[in-house]
């Protein structure tokens, strides 16, 4: 019995050590920014990260955003503003996609929102693909809008493909095809419509 | 003992000893049934395979491993053993999931990068550069993390990247930021200079 208690304590100690090591690794990225930001800016950044962590949002994109800003020699206020903006979009992304959304989906949703997609379009995409991940369709949606495809055209194309149970490979084929057509001189809107028709059997989005 | 060692015939004790020695030296006639029993026992032994004592020993060995028993070890020893186990498992996992970079690449002509599900080759033509680093959201935007190798002005590095959409760029000679001229650019740059975009797994 004493041996069993002793083993349990050891297991508990081991699990605690592993958890501490994991948390330390996660917090390590943020801690590395302490010496690169002034104290006030670091406190602001830490508060944003804490807020994300407390509400179950991924913190890695926030830390990465701050690291990018530091690399590009952005001012601390610009870094904090960009990180705060990303946190807001991550929240909106989760509101639109639901609490079960994965970190990859939340980040892709935030990117789509940043590109100009509407929150309702994220929700519609989620509903059109029940039980399946929407990270790739969201990435494609953001990419199409960023390339100049009108927001509603891009959203309708992606939602229709999702409703037709298109695979991730099909979404990527759509993206690559439109990229090629735009590079070849076609207008983004025309390229999106043409590619979607080709992939979906002449059905207009 | 030989014939010359036997005691003399005139001593009564010697006479008794002489009788005993004679009896011992006389041939023994075995019982026919006893010989049959011996032959049967030898045949049975030969057909049963391994000798009995060895079988008993192997059963005992197996039982040693399956019988619950108390092992005495200090907590420090157990902790060290657990650490070794975890590190060993991690190394095995890394070896199993690791990829050989070059033979996993799917070439995509006309692009500045070539990607597969997990491994990406980044290239940049910069003949005048003395040093080129790859920076992106996959390495913490750290210019010291991923250096490219120079071959006749073509800088290259092959690294594993998790599937998904990633933003990146190059830093030349430690100070000059440059987007990948052969890749798509991100439209959502927050800091003025655009990032390049790589899709891994698609």
């Amino acid at each position: 019995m004493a041996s069993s208690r002793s083993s349990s304590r050891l297991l508990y100690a081991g699990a605690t050590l592993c958890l501490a090591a994991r948390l330390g690794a996660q917090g390590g990225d943020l801690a590395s920014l302490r010496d690169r930001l002034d104290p006030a800016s670091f406190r602001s950044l830490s508060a944003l990260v804490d807020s994300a962590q407390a509400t179950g949002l991924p913190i890695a994109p926030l830390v990465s955003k701050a690291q990018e800003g530091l690399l590009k020699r952005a001012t601390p206020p610009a870094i904090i503003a960009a990180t705060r903006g990303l946190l807001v979009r991550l929240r909106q992304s989760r509101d639109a996609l639901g609490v079960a959304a994965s970190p990859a989906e939340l980040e892709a949703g935030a990117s789509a929102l940043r590109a100009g997609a509407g929150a309702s379009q994220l929700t519609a995409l989620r509903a059109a693909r029940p039980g399946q991940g929407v990270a790739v369709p969201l990435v494609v949606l953001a990419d199409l809008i960023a390339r100049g495809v009108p927001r509603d055209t891009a959203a309708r194309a992606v939602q229709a493909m999702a409703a037709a149970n298109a695979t991730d490979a099909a979404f990527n084929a759509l993206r690559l095809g439109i990229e090629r057509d735009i590079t070849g001189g076609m207008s983004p809107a025309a390229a999106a419509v043409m590619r979607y028709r080709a992939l979906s059997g002449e059905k207009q989005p | 003992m030989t014939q010359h060692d036997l005691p003399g015939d005139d001593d009564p004790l010697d006479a008794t000893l002489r009788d005993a020695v004679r009896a011992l030296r006389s041939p023994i006639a075995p019982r026919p049934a006893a010989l049959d029993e011996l032959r049967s026992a030898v045949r049975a032994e030969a057909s049963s395979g391994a000798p009995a004592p060895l079988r008993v020993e192997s059963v005992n060995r197996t039982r040693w491993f399956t019988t619950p028993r108390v092992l005495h070890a200090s907590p420090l020893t157990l902790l060290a053993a657990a650490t070794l186990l975890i590190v060993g498992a991690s190394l095995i996992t890394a070896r199993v999931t690791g990829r050989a970079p070059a033979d996993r690449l799917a070439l995509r002509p006309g692009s500045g990068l070539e990607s597969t599900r997990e491994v990406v080759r980044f290239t940049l033509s910069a003949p005048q550069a003395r040093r080129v680093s790859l920076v992106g959201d996959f390495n913490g935007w750290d210019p010291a993390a991923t250096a490219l190798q120079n071959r006749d002005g073509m800088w290259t590095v092959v690294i594993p990247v998790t599937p998904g959409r990633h933003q990146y760029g190059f830093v030349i000679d430690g100070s000059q930021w440059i987007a990948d001229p052969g890749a798509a650019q991100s439209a959502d740059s927050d800091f003025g200079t655009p990032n390049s975009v790589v899709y891994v797994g698609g």
Side-chain angles (χ1 to χ4, degrees), chain A residues 120-205:
Chain A
S120 61
Q121 290 169 330
L122 268 61
T123 304
L125 186 55
R126 167 84 281 170
R129 217 180 191 212
Q132 294 184 72
V134 291
V136 171
L138 284 168
V139 163
V140 172
L141 174 62
D143 187 79
L144 296 185
I145 297 173
R147 287 180 191 282
V149 175
R151 184 182 86 155
D152 292 342
T153 302
R156 276 200 298 273
V158 172
Q159 283 168 25
M161 286 187 72
N165 213 18
T167 62
D168 286 351
F171 280 104
N172 279 314
L174 176 73
R175 178 181 62 77
L176 287 171
I178 292 173
E179 176 187 338
R180 211 170 295 132
D181 292 340
I182 293 173
T183 305
M186 194 176 281
S187 79
V193 171
M194 188 193 75
R195 286 287 170 179
Y196 173 74
R197 282 177 177 171
L199 285 170
S200 63
E202 300 297 318
K203 189 178 171 186
Q204 177 111 15

Side-chain angles (χ1 to χ4, degrees), chain B residues 10 31 33 47 69 76 85 112 133 140 142 168 185 187 194:
Chain B
D10 49 350
R31 291 184 297 116
S47 63
R69 58 188 68 246
L76 196 61
L85 195 65
S133 302
D142 181 2
Y168 71 99
Q185 292 196 354

Side-chain angles (χ1 to χ4, degrees), chain A residues 20-118:
Chain A
R22 187 165 175 74
L23 288 176
Q26 280 182 349
D29 290 339
L30 178 63
S32 70
L33 300 177
R34 184 189 296 274
D35 297 334
R36 302 172 67 191
L37 283 168
D38 61 273
S41 299
F42 181 75
R43 275 197 300 276
S44 299
L45 181 64
S46 296
L48 293 173
V49 170
D50 289 345
S51 171
Q53 204 157 25
T55 52
L57 290 168
I59 64 170
L62 302 175
V63 174
S64 179
K65 180 61 72 180
Q67 289 168 331
E68 179 192 353
L70 283 167
L71 175 77
K72 293 180 175 177
R73 298 194 173 92
T75 62
I79 292 172
I80 300 302
T83 308
R84 183 176 290 117
L86 178 56
L87 176 59
V88 169
R89 290 192 296 276
L90 285 170
R91 282 186 186 135
Q92 292 172 338
S93 178
R94 187 173 57 186
D95 290 344
L97 296 172
V99 291
S102 69
E105 288 175 325
L106 293 178
E107 198 174 349
S111 182
L113 291 170
R114 177 72 168 81

